[in-house]
Amino acid sequence: MIKVDISNVWGRLSLPDLLAVESEVAAAHKSLTDGTGEGNDFLGWVNLPTAEETAEMRRIRAAAQRIREDSDVFVVIGIGGSYLGPRAAIELMQGCNHNIGKGKGDPQIYFAGNTLSTRAFNELQRLLEGKDFSVAVISKSGTTTEPAIAFRSLRWMLERKYGTDAARKRIYAITDPCKGALRQMATEEGWETFVIPPAAGGRYSVLTPVGLLPMAVAGIDICKVMSGANQAKETYNSLRSFENPAWLYAGARNMLYRNGKAMEIFVSFEPGFRMFGGWWQQLFGESEGKDGKGIFPVAAEFTADLHSLGQMIQQGERNIFETMVRFDAPEQKVTVGSDYKNLDGLNYLAGKTLDYVDEQAFQGTVAAHVEGGVPVITMDMGALNDEKLGEMFYFLELCCGISAYMLGVNPFNQPGVEFYKRNMFKLLGKPGYED
Ligand code: PA5
């Protein structure tokens, strides 16, 4: 089980404070599992994980195997909830530099359609030169501008390279089962499709084909991911007390918010966790930031960001709390060497493992930040493996649903995202947006 430790928030928060919100946490959790809260038509993710492999998962694994065999590069097109989950999973499990040295048999994976940057598109074109590639286009609505533009170009590139018929076999569409332009195009063109369940909103869709196809192409065992998620579903939904780490996290962050801590920094000491932090940031930001409320979510990586955000965290405005995510140390150790001249003065660490140094950095940082008035929640994930990945995704989705209901907002809509789109469409002259 994931462990949440709130011993470093006492002082800002007392046990009676926390116990006072127990009934609120219980009610929020019950609303999610009974489907009685606002946005209850988007609760498809709650019971999504299953112990058995589904037919859809078998089809995903078969498609992934084909892509692994016939492609040097797999391009995943999508934005927001249709992109952050798979990228988070792949970078966490395989590192930020996972593409180095890869090709047919174990393809490189790039993400597109999450920007309107010409430079980024030109770079992708250069990366694809002379390579066999396949494309997954992910869009629940099927109408989002950024992925639609990227897909149009990549589809043309595929058709020019392979001809229309062969190109069709290299396009995989992940979208709504019935609605939207992408569903219609896929039906007309005969692309292989996978379904995003209508009742699972974008940012709660990582455990659907949205996340599972790219993960499977990367060689992650999606049966293990789903098994971990299913275990999480059973465990974290059956414990209805503060023994449940989801309750502790949701309860503590809401209490801190009510005590003026309006910003949460979600930190890990793993560089590969950066995109997972991005996924968390979208999950919590888009779910909670509405009706003039919400904890502002910021993802950070220590110790790197201690040299950029560290000063602000230590001595800036005192409206911050941190959640520090930890994993068990990997089995393969790295040891600091000894140098006979010792000009860098590091011999006092000779023979110590990098994990040991990292651990002291962690402990030192927590102590410093707590002393500086920043409450720190720690989230101990345990060993990092495919099952754990599924457990973490489900656990944080559950925490987010509970926390947003405690905050009194609908976690499953995102009306604010439409504002920039309306202005952009008007400026672009999209029909229907003239006024
Ligand atoms: O969480 C969400 O719902 C959003 O971030 C969407 O995933 C994002 O806007 C992309 O939407 P779509 O999948 O419809 O292209």
Side-chain angles (χ1 to χ4, degrees):
M1 191 150 76
I2 290 166
K3 289 195 199 97
V4 167
D5 176 1
I6 59 167
S7 54
N8 285 308
V9 304
W10 303 128
R12 282 284 147 194
L13 193 65
S14 69
L15 187 59
D17 286 338
L18 193 68
L19 292 177
V21 294
E22 192 170 15
S23 57
E24 272 184 62
V25 187
H29 194 173
K30 193 166 183 314
S31 299
L32 273 183
T33 47
D34 292 358
T36 50
E38 243 195 305
N40 55 6
D41 40 348
F42 283 99
L43 289 171
W45 58 273
V46 175
N47 289 312
L48 188 73
T50 52
E52 303 302 322
E53 185 179 23
T54 61
E56 180 91 328
M57 282 167 68
R58 271 193 291 281
R59 223 159 48 77
I60 289 173
R61 289 202 299 117
Q65 193 49 39
R66 257 194 328 276
I67 295 164
R68 285 171 69 84
E69 280 161 17
D70 71 13
S71 304
D72 298 302
V73 178
F74 179 50
V75 184
V76 181
I77 301 174
I79 195 166
S82 290
Y83 134 81
L84 286 158
R87 187 160 176 189
I90 293 167
E91 291 200 5
L92 180 58
M93 299 311 291
Q94 303 184 347
C96 323
N97 302 311
H98 58 91
N99 282 328
I100 291 177
K102 289 194 175 176
K104 219 161 273 159
D106 187 13
Q108 298 184 331
I109 301 180
Y110 290 103
F111 292 87
N114 52 66
T115 173
L116 294 168
S117 157
T118 307
R119 283 186 185 81
F121 192 79
N122 288 340
E123 187 190 349
L124 181 65
Q125 274 191 309
R126 283 197 300 276
L127 286 166
L128 292 175
E129 264 166 34
K131 303 263 174 59
D132 281 319
F133 68 101
S134 302
V135 167
V137 52
I138 309 177
S139 178
K140 188 167 186 217
S141 64
T143 54
T144 309
T145 312
E146 292 91 334
I149 291 176
F151 179 52
R152 184 179 274 209
S153 306
L154 284 159
R155 184 184 160 194
W156 283 348
M157 284 169 65
L158 280 172
E159 289 176 352
R160 272 201 301 275
K161 190 174 170 87
Y162 299 103
T164 317
D165 284 343
R168 281 197 183 104
K169 298 199 172 60
R170 290 179 173 272
I171 296 175
Y172 300 82
I174 303 176
T175 189
D176 184 273
C178 317
K179 290 189 302 207
L182 184 55
R183 170 56 58 186
Q184 196 187 336
M185 284 161 79
T187 307
E188 280 187 21
E189 299 294 330
W191 302 324
E192 171 145 26
T193 62
F194 296 97
V195 164
I196 309 179
R203 57 193 172 276
Y204 295 83
S205 70
V206 62
L207 297 168
T208 74
V210 170
L212 297 179
L213 179 65
M215 284 188 227
V217 174
I220 295 171
D221 185 336
I222 60 169
C223 294
K224 289 187 176 167
V225 172
M226 287 307 263
S227 154
N230 185 58
Q231 194 53 53
K233 178 186 83 179
E234 302 296 335
T235 308
Y236 301 119
N237 282 317
S238 55
L239 256 180
R240 304 276 171 145
S241 72
F242 276 123
E243 303 262 294
N244 186 338
W247 279 40
L248 262 191
Y249 181 47
R253 64 195 297 284
N254 266 277
M255 290 308 296
L256 288 166
Y257 178 63
R258 291 172 199 178
N259 279 284
K261 302 293 183 189
M263 187 178 294
E264 176 177 10
I265 308 184
F266 193 68
V267 184
S268 157
F269 281 60
E270 290 295 338
F273 193 82
R274 234 185 224 284
M275 283 309 301
F276 197 98
W279 171 82
W280 167 90
Q281 190 168 271
Q282 190 224 0
L283 177 68
F284 279 80
E286 226 168 70
S287 298
E288 293 193 326
K290 52 199 74 157
D291 306 339
K293 303 183 210 173
I295 301 169
F296 194 92
V298 179
E301 180 212 325
F302 289 173
T303 58
D305 290 334
L306 287 173
H307 297 257
S308 63
L309 295 173
Q311 175 59 38
M312 174 61 98
I313 297 170
Q314 193 67 45
Q315 295 182 323
E317 194 172 345
R318 301 296 72 197
N319 60 351
I320 303 167
F321 69 96
E322 285 177 304
T323 298
M324 292 205 193
V325 175
R326 316 184 66 202
F327 296 98
D328 290 353
E331 274 169 27
Q332 193 180 343
K333 302 291 172 208
V334 174
T335 307
V336 180
S338 168
D339 186 285
Y340 85 101
K341 282 194 179 169
N342 194 28
L343 293 178
D344 52 12
L346 273 185
N347 273 359
Y348 79 105
L349 290 178
K352 300 272 193 267
T353 66
L354 204 48
D355 288 328
Y356 169 81
V357 181
D358 202 39
E359 175 65 20
Q360 310 320 308
F362 173 83
Q363 299 294 351
T365 305
V366 171
H369 290 182
V370 170
E371 199 185 325
V374 176
V376 179
I377 299 172
T378 46
M379 203 177 267
D380 236 303
M381 298 295 188
L384 179 57
N385 52 36
D386 295 345
E387 284 95 349
K388 182 62 65 179
L389 186 63
E391 181 184 356
M392 284 163 56
F393 279 131
Y394 189 88
F395 173 76
L396 287 166
E397 286 175 355
L398 184 66
C399 292
C400 184
I402 296 174
S403 181
Y405 274 153
M406 285 184 73
L407 200 62
V409 298
N410 174 354
F412 307 115
N413 64 2
Q414 55 284 328
V417 182
E418 296 309 310
F419 283 68
Y420 99 90
K421 289 188 195 169
R422 276 206 290 274
N423 288 344
M424 178 176 78
F425 291 153
K426 185 175 174 193
L427 292 166
L428 288 169
K430 182 172 178 172
Y433 287 83
E434 293 80 2
D435 300 319

